[in-house]
């Protein structure tokens, strides 16, 4: 499944919803985005981003009284997987080893990261 790309602003809104792991109203999303990312977005601005996210299939909404609530349709792990795959394909010639080497050269890997990567690699051969 290929996901539609998100703008930077759409990512902020989606990350806010993903981080909450619960259905949120427009006003709750607006408050959390503004607080966490130091924005001063108005309801209409956030509503526009939410409408785009619904159209792109990341969220669905329903109305309860006068309030719209938003539910996650695309899990965060699916989105991160798509981003990583696209990045590795484009920047690292579809070579995961180039990606890991670039990451390790950028910052030292912690011991727990090394152990998890090693465990994952060992599990691939089975």
């Amino acid at each position: 499944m290929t996901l539609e790309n998100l703008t930077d602003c759409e990512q902020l809104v989606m990350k806010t919803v993903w981080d909450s792991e619960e259905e949120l109203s427009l006003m709750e999303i607006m408050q959390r985005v503004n607080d966490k990312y130091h924005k001063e977005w108005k309801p209409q601005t956030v509503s526009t981003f939410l409408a785009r996210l619904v159209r792109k299939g990341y969220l669905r909404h329903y109305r309860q009284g006068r309030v719209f609530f938003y539910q996650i349709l695309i899990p965060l792990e699916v989105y991160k997987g798509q981003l990583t795959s696209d990045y590795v394909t484009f920047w690292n010639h579809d070579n995961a080893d180039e990606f890991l080497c670039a990451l390790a050269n950028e910052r030292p890997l912690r011991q727990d990261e090394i152990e998890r990567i090693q465990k994952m690699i060992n599990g691939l051969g089975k």
Side-chain angles (χ1 to χ4, degrees):
M1 159 177 45
T2 301
L3 303 173
E4 280 200 56
N5 292 331
L6 299 180
T7 66
D8 290 345
C9 293
E10 290 167 349
Q11 283 184 357
L12 293 181
V13 171
M14 257 330 284
K15 181 77 165 81
T16 300
V17 176
W18 278 318
D19 286 349
S20 75
E21 297 181 356
E22 61 183 344
E23 298 172 4
L24 297 173
S25 70
L26 164 64
M27 297 307 284
E28 290 169 324
I29 294 168
M30 182 191 73
Q31 186 66 46
R32 291 177 189 204
V33 169
N34 286 344
D35 289 348
K36 185 170 184 177
Y37 300 108
H38 311 290
K39 301 290 184 186
E40 294 181 14
W41 290 346
K42 304 290 184 225
Q44 185 60 44
T45 303
V46 177
S47 180
T48 299
F49 295 136
L50 288 167
R52 291 179 191 167
L53 291 165
V54 168
R55 182 184 53 76
K56 291 180 178 185
Y58 285 84
L59 297 172
R60 76 173 160 197
H61 67 285
Y62 66 92
R63 188 175 181 158
Q64 201 169 55
R66 301 176 80 186
V67 179
F68 281 94
F69 288 88
Y70 294 84
Q71 296 174 315
I72 297 168
L73 293 178
I74 303 293
L76 175 58
E77 291 306 314
V78 170
Y79 182 69
K80 289 187 334 185
Q82 179 76 49
L83 281 180
T84 303
S85 177
D86 291 348
Y87 184 89
V88 169
T89 299
F90 185 80
W91 290 106
N92 302 106
H93 308 99
D94 208 21
N95 292 314
D97 59 327
E98 281 186 31
F99 173 74
L100 286 173
C101 288
L103 178 62
N105 287 334
E106 183 61 29
R107 69 163 180 84
L109 295 175
R110 296 185 316 263
Q111 186 59 39
D112 65 310
E113 293 172 324
I114 294 169
E115 290 169 6
R116 283 199 323 260
I117 292 168
Q118 187 63 52
K119 187 176 181 178
M120 182 192 67
I121 291 170
N122 291 340
L124 292 176
K126 297 178 182 176

